[in-house]
Amino acid sequence: MNAKFIELFKETLEIEEDIVNTETKFRELEQWDSLAFLSVIAMIDEEYDIVIEGNDFKKLVTVNDLIEEIGKRKA
Amino acid sequence: MAYLNYTNVGIRGLAAAVPVKVIKNYEYTRYFPAEDVKQVVDKIGIIERRFTDDKTCSSDLCYAAAEKLLSDLSVPRDEIDLLIFVSQTPDYRMPATSILLQERLKLGHQTIAFDINLGCSGFIYGMSVIYAMMERSGLRRALLLDGETRSKVYSPKDRKTAFIFGDAGVAALIERDDSFGQSFFSMNSDGSKENLIKMDAGGYRNMSSLETLKEKVVDEHGNIRSDEHGYMNGGDVFNFVIKEIPSDIKNIMQYAGADNTAIDYFVFHQANDFINTYLAKKLKLDLSKVPSTIAKFGNTSSVSIPLTIVSELQGKLESRKLLLSGFGVGMTWASAVINTGNMFISDLVEI
């Protein structure tokens, strides 16, 4: 799932360079802004049918945190 | 679960009026750098909007739409027994604007007239109230007028709202006819989210004063507004939308016994392109069935659903089934499945 998620994540933020991995702190990306935040929430809902609400999302720091959160909720 | 259904009541005709003044968003750079503006406009997909001048109210837009509709359909004024005006930008705090419109439109004194104060879900609420009253035997015809001048509500110096809203007014003639068949409504409210979209002052909780009219910097981004400007927390609104709206739409379609293929057009409140693209993907909709006026009229609150029908579906509405869904300030949200019968659409009026 990691590779697929990273691909979706990059597509959502329109990142073409190979700069995202599981350890990436996504808020530090140049492309991160309030609309990127909404786009990622929407992407996770569309792809995985999971809604991570704003307050829960605030606690997540790395790409791996996102992946784990999705895994936890899917379980 | 507030679901309702009605039989053989529907919209016989619909007209819309927009101001002639076009605001081009890419050039709306008085308070923000062009580069920042481009970034926002690209994302929200709102290229143009319409703004009234200082003197024009929601009621004036509705009046123009109503005159057009009544004359196109040659409706005798004394046959209108009910008039509802939906708006959050009325002429006065009192009396209700619907009463002023009764007089301006030269309707008889037998007319039932009152206002409904709701935002983006308002047109659907208004339809439901009128359908319920029209199902009884006493009333001949009804007018639903819905207008907004949101250009006067938000601060042009607050980037969270400066590029989104526009002005428009519509008039719908509602009648009884066998061709309308059954219609289905779902209506909801959640006052715990009152702070997501709000104007803090100017009502009776925090009355208008010199203090409430003062512009001030309100956040770390340097956005400026007064307490009598509206504000919106777009991120939380989006969270609200993804939590509530797809399920409400699925529920009303189930209640109506209609699946995606049975619906000819899905007309959503035009909040911004981002939200509507999300909804279409989430509900797996064919985009050719999702008309949009976001690019040319922006977000006109409760008017956006009927305005989109007038602007995009003229000549395409014979015996069609529509899904309508509106959501916003309150928070409040409503969805409906309706049949168009042979709904007449007037040409768009510009004033």
Side-chain angles (χ1 to χ4, degrees):
Chain A
M1 152 167 178
N2 290 10
K4 186 193 166 203
F5 182 81
I6 289 172
E7 225 20 72
L8 288 167
F9 184 88
K10 283 170 63 185
E11 255 173 51
T12 306
L13 267 64
E14 295 173 11
I15 298 175
E16 284 169 12
E17 309 90 322
D18 193 16
I19 54 170
V20 180
N21 58 51
T22 52
E23 297 313 309
T24 302
K25 293 179 177 163
F26 51 82
R27 286 187 192 81
E28 292 173 5
L29 291 166
E30 189 194 325
Q31 289 85 352
W32 190 261
D33 59 18
S34 60
L35 278 164
F37 158 66
L38 298 182
S39 303
V40 168
I41 287 190
M43 179 271 283
I44 293 171
D45 182 26
E46 282 156 18
E47 293 292 329
Y48 303 97
D49 220 10
I50 286 171
V51 177
I52 304 177
E53 296 201 32
N55 283 337
D56 293 331
F57 200 93
K58 276 182 200 144
K59 298 173 199 149
L60 309 175
V61 178
T62 64
V63 169
N64 196 50
D65 291 346
L66 289 170
I67 294 170
E68 279 187 3
E69 185 71 21
I70 294 166
K72 208 163 72 189
R73 296 191 188 211
K74 269 285 178 204
Chain B
M1 295 283 164
Y3 295 131
L4 291 162
N5 72 81
Y6 304 107
T7 306
N8 294 341
V9 182
I11 298 176
R12 170 71 190 93
L14 190 60
V18 294
V20 285
K21 185 177 169 193
V22 176
I23 303 295
K24 293 190 158 69
N25 259 354
Y26 283 117
E27 294 161 27
Y28 198 62
T29 52
R30 188 166 160 206
Y31 299 109
F32 302 103
E35 198 183 312
D36 293 11
V37 169
K38 183 175 184 314
Q39 217 179 4
V40 172
V41 176
D42 284 348
K43 290 270 187 188
I44 59 176
I46 296 167
I47 311 299
E48 291 181 0
R49 304 169 283 156
R50 302 297 181 99
F51 276 17
T52 57
D53 58 26
D54 289 347
K55 294 192 186 76
T56 305
C57 286
S58 309
S59 60
D60 300 317
L61 296 165
C62 288
Y63 173 74
E67 282 291 336
K68 172 76 175 157
L69 184 64
L70 297 179
S71 116
D72 281 355
L73 290 173
S74 307
V75 177
R77 311 268 162 145
D78 60 2
E79 288 187 10
I80 293 172
D81 292 324
L82 169 62
L83 184 165
I84 289 180
F85 177 67
V86 176
S87 184
Q88 293 187 319
T89 47
D91 288 22
Y92 305 104
R93 289 198 223 170
M94 62 186 227
T97 305
S98 50
I99 320 293
L100 311 178
L101 284 162
Q102 171 270 321
E103 168 62 18
R104 266 179 94 180
L105 288 165
K106 305 291 173 215
L107 309 185
H109 290 179
Q110 88 290 346
T111 309
I112 301 168
F114 58 94
D115 287 13
I116 293 179
N117 175 340
L118 283 173
C120 311
S121 62
F123 188 76
I124 299 172
Y125 269 83
M127 283 172 71
S128 179
V129 170
I130 291 185
Y131 282 28
M133 292 176 79
M134 284 291 286
E135 257 197 351
R136 315 302 299 173
S137 56
L139 306 176
R140 289 165 295 174
R141 301 164 188 251
L143 265 184
L144 174 57
L145 306 183
D146 181 351
E148 281 293 347
T149 50
R150 293 272 159 174
S151 65
K152 299 177 185 184
V153 168
Y154 294 96
S155 163
K157 302 173 194 169
D158 179 352
R159 76 186 72 205
K160 291 182 174 175
T161 49
F163 301 97
I164 294 177
F165 295 96
D167 303 337
V170 295
L173 180 71
I174 295 174
E175 296 182 352
R176 276 186 297 276
D177 193 278
D178 294 348
S179 67
F180 293 122
Q182 274 203 300
S183 55
F184 303 86
F185 290 77
S186 159
M187 287 169 286
N188 315 270
S189 49
D190 181 359
S192 76
K193 297 189 167 67
E194 65 170 277
N195 292 319
L196 267 52
I197 307 170
K198 194 173 182 183
M199 186 188 293
D200 283 330
Y204 291 94
R205 181 70 64 193
N206 300 305
M207 284 180 73
S208 199
S209 68
L210 287 178
E211 187 53 37
T212 62
L213 288 167
K214 253 185 222 153
E215 290 195 339
K216 51 198 172 192
V217 176
V218 292
D219 58 28
E220 70 276 19
H221 307 295
N223 290 313
I224 295 169
R225 60 173 169 79
S226 77
D227 290 337
E228 295 199 35
H229 280 126
Y231 59 85
M232 177 166 73
N233 186 335
D236 287 344
V237 171
F238 183 67
N239 268 304
F240 155 81
V241 167
I242 65 179
K243 183 158 170 276
E244 302 290 359
I245 306 309
S247 57
D248 192 49
I249 290 172
K250 283 178 192 161
N251 290 344
I252 193 65
M253 285 172 65
Q254 194 177 12
Y255 180 59
D259 61 9
N260 277 4
T261 55
I263 305 286
D264 295 296
Y265 296 103
F266 295 81
V267 189
F268 297 128
H269 165 52
Q270 307 284 300
N272 58 54
D273 204 35
F274 187 83
I275 284 183
N276 284 2
T277 304
Y278 159 80
L279 284 176
K281 272 199 222 164
K282 175 77 182 170
L283 295 163
K284 300 187 170 60
L285 305 180
D286 174 356
L287 281 177
S288 66
K289 292 168 112 182
V290 187
S292 172
T293 51
I294 263 295
K296 53 184 166 189
F297 299 126
N299 180 337
T300 54
S301 186
S302 54
V303 190
S304 76
I305 291 172
L307 176 62
T308 299
I309 295 174
V310 171
S311 169
E312 304 304 306
L313 299 180
Q314 191 183 37
K316 299 178 180 173
L317 286 178
E318 205 175 322
S319 304
R320 298 288 155 184
K321 196 179 279 292
L322 307 184
L323 178 291
L324 315 178
S325 185
F327 37 85
V329 56
M331 301 301 277
T332 145
W333 63 108
S335 300
V337 173
I338 62 165
N339 297 309
T340 58
N342 61 340
M343 190 192 296
F344 170 84
I345 304 291
S346 290
D347 293 336
L348 187 69
V349 179
E350 292 188 292
I351 63 166

